[in-house]
Amino acid sequence: MRSSSLPGPQIQHWLHNLSKREQWRHLLRATLRECTYLPDPIARIYMKDHILSRYRAASSRSNKAGPQTVHTARNALSVLRRANEGYSRPLEKVLFLSYGRTGRRRHELLAKMLTPQIPNDTLGLQELLSQPAQFGDCWEAPAIVRSLAAAHMQNTVVTSARIRPLIKHLKPPIPQQNTWCKEVPESRRRNIRRRWYNSTLNSLLPPLPEDDLRILDGLISGTVPWSPVKRRKVKTQIAQTESESKLFTLLARGPEKGKTFAEYVNGRPHTLTARYMRRQWRRLSALIPRPSWNSEYQKWSFTWETPKAIPRLSPGMANGIDPASIFEMVAKAKSGVSREHRAQ
C-alpha cells in the first residue's frame, strides 16, 4: 500500500510541469499582468521592476528551481491578484513594499539616508579621518539616526502599527558593571553598541524621496488624478473534459462541500474606489516621516501625518471680514435679548 504522504502520479505530473520553461514564462507573464492592474501608480512601476529582478536572479542560479522557489513565485502572483481584487491585507503589503516601509526598498532608502557626504576640501577630509572608530567608546550613531529613532518612540501611530520592531533604547544599554562587579570589557561594550545600532536600523522607517512623496500627497488631496485600472477581457479557454475538470477541482479545493465562509477568512474584497484608496494612502502616509533641518539647533527634526483627517474646529471666514466686528455683533445681539427679557 502506498503511503499517503507521497504525492500521487497526477500531482507529480503537475509539479513536473511547473519546472518547465513554458510554465515559468506563463507564471511571469501572469504576474507582470497583475502588476499593470495595481491601483497605485508607484506600486505599478516598483512591483514590475521587483518581479523582474527576482526572476532574473532566480534564472542566473546554476541549480534548478526547487519547490520553495515555485511556492514563492506562485505566492507573489496570489498576493497581487488579491490586492487587485480589493483585499485589504494584500493591498497593504504591496503598498508597504512599494513605498519602502518593508522589504528591499526600505534598505535602499536607509542606505541612501546614511551615505556620508564627500568632503569638498582637505579640512573636511581630515575631520572625516579623525572620527573615532566605529562602535568604540567615543563612537556615536549618526545624528539623523538618533533624531529619527526619537521621533519613532514619540509617535503612537508607528508603535501601534507594529510593522517594524519597536525601539526600546535611544542609547546602547551598556551596564556599569558585569556579573563579577567589574568594569565591562571593551569587546563587550563594542558588541553591545553594534547590536543596538543594527536593531535600531532594523526598526526605522526611512523618509521617502520628494517625488514619490509629492505623488502620494497629491493622491490623498485629489490634485493627482486617479481612476481605477480597467482589466482586459479574459480569452475563453478550451473546455476541459469532465474527468480533468473534476480532478483539477479535487486537487485545488478538496472534496465538494456546502457553502461556507472559507473565502472570507482572511478578509473580504472591496471595490477599489477613490474613497477606499484615499483611506489606504492616508494610513500609509502616517508611516512616512517628513524630515526638516533645524538651522537654529543644528539637528534634524521629523514630523508625521495623521492616519485620519482632522476635522476643522471652526468655519472659515470670507476675505475682507474683520474678526473684531463679529464680536461686536454678538455683543449687540446679546444686549438686545437682555433688554427684551427685562421688558417682559
Side-chain angles (χ1 to χ4, degrees):
M1 182 177 179
R2 184 173 55 86
S3 176
S4 60
S5 61
L6 297 176
Q10 296 290 343
I11 301 179
Q12 287 181 352
H13 178 70
W14 180 64
L15 291 174
H16 177 70
N17 289 337
L18 279 177
S19 62
K20 291 184 178 180
R21 184 173 300 179
E22 293 80 7
Q23 183 66 24
W24 279 108
R25 187 183 301 116
H26 169 73
L27 199 58
L28 174 60
R29 287 177 177 175
T31 309
L32 294 179
R33 189 182 305 115
E34 292 297 330
C35 290
T36 60
Y37 297 143
L38 289 172
D40 185 87
I42 295 179
R44 285 196 290 268
I45 299 174
Y46 175 79
M47 293 304 298
K48 177 184 176 181
D49 297 339
H50 179 67
I51 294 297
L52 287 176
S53 64
R54 294 292 298 272
Y55 271 80
R56 287 166 181 165
S59 63
S60 62
R61 298 172 189 155
S62 57
N63 55 346
K64 294 183 179 180
Q68 184 62 33
T69 308
V70 175
H71 173 74
T72 303
R74 295 182 67 87
N75 182 59
L77 176 59
S78 176
V79 169
L80 291 174
R81 279 178 176 172
R82 291 172 65 84
N84 290 326
E85 290 173 0
Y87 286 90
S88 299
R89 291 200 174 182
L91 180 58
E92 188 179 68
K93 182 177 181 180
V94 171
L95 292 177
F96 284 170
L97 285 172
S98 304
Y99 284 87
R101 303 305 92 191
T102 57
R104 184 183 65 182
R105 197 184 183 196
R106 190 187 73 89
H107 293 276
E108 295 175 352
L109 294 176
L110 276 177
K112 185 178 180 180
M113 184 184 72
L114 297 176
T115 302
Q117 296 182 355
I118 300 176
N120 299 325
D121 50 9
T122 307
L123 182 60
L125 181 60
Q126 291 178 355
E127 292 179 357
L128 183 63
L129 296 176
S130 62
Q131 292 181 357
Q134 192 176 22
F135 307 125
D137 289 336
C138 298
W139 173 85
E140 285 187 353
I144 191 172
V145 172
R146 287 179 278 140
S147 300
L148 185 55
H152 274 66
M153 296 185 68
Q154 296 172 1
N155 191 352
T156 57
V157 176
V158 175
T159 55
S160 61
R162 292 185 177 272
I163 62 172
R164 304 303 309 168
L166 299 180
I167 300 176
K168 299 181 180 179
H169 305 281
L170 289 178
K171 293 183 179 180
I174 301 177
Q176 296 181 355
Q177 294 179 344
N178 58 10
T179 309
W180 294 274
C181 298
K182 295 182 180 180
E183 184 182 0
V184 179
E186 181 182 357
S187 60
R188 188 186 173 193
R189 296 198 301 268
R190 187 183 301 109
N191 292 334
I192 291 175
R193 294 188 188 96
R194 181 186 295 110
R195 285 194 295 267
W196 169 82
Y197 185 66
N198 292 334
S199 64
T200 302
L201 291 183
N202 188 38
S203 303
L204 292 182
L205 297 173
L208 200 66
E210 293 184 1
D211 295 339
D212 294 350
L213 189 60
R214 193 180 304 111
I215 293 176
L216 178 60
D217 292 339
L219 291 171
I220 296 174
S221 62
T223 56
V224 174
W226 180 87
S227 60
V229 182
K230 295 182 179 180
R231 298 183 67 96
R232 70 174 187 178
K233 295 182 179 180
V234 181
K235 295 182 180 179
T236 56
Q237 299 179 354
I238 301 175
Q240 297 178 335
T241 61
E242 186 178 356
S243 60
E244 291 179 351
S245 177
K246 290 183 178 180
L247 178 62
F248 178 79
T249 305
L250 178 64
L251 294 176
R253 301 183 179 179
E256 294 184 3
K257 52 186 177 181
K259 184 64 176 180
T260 65
F261 291 93
E263 299 179 359
Y264 308 114
V265 170
N266 297 323
R268 63 180 180 85
H270 295 75
T271 304
L272 297 178
T273 61
R275 181 173 177 267
Y276 175 75
M277 288 305 302
R278 285 197 184 99
R279 289 202 303 266
Q280 297 292 331
W281 288 322
R282 190 173 288 278
R283 293 194 196 102
L284 175 65
S285 179
L287 301 175
I288 299 175
R290 271 73 170 177
S292 60
W293 174 253
N294 192 329
S295 57
E296 181 179 358
Y297 296 98
Q298 294 295 312
K299 67 176 184 179
W300 288 96
S301 60
F302 295 90
T303 58
W304 306 82
E305 295 292 333
T306 56
K308 294 183 179 180
I310 300 176
R312 300 181 61 179
L313 299 180
S314 61
M317 294 186 299
N319 296 330
I321 297 179
D322 187 11
S325 62
I326 298 178
F327 293 99
E328 294 177 358
M329 294 170 60
V330 172
K332 290 179 181 179
K334 185 177 181 180
S335 61
V337 171
S338 60
R339 284 195 300 268
E340 292 178 0
H341 182 71
R342 286 196 300 267
Q344 293 177 358

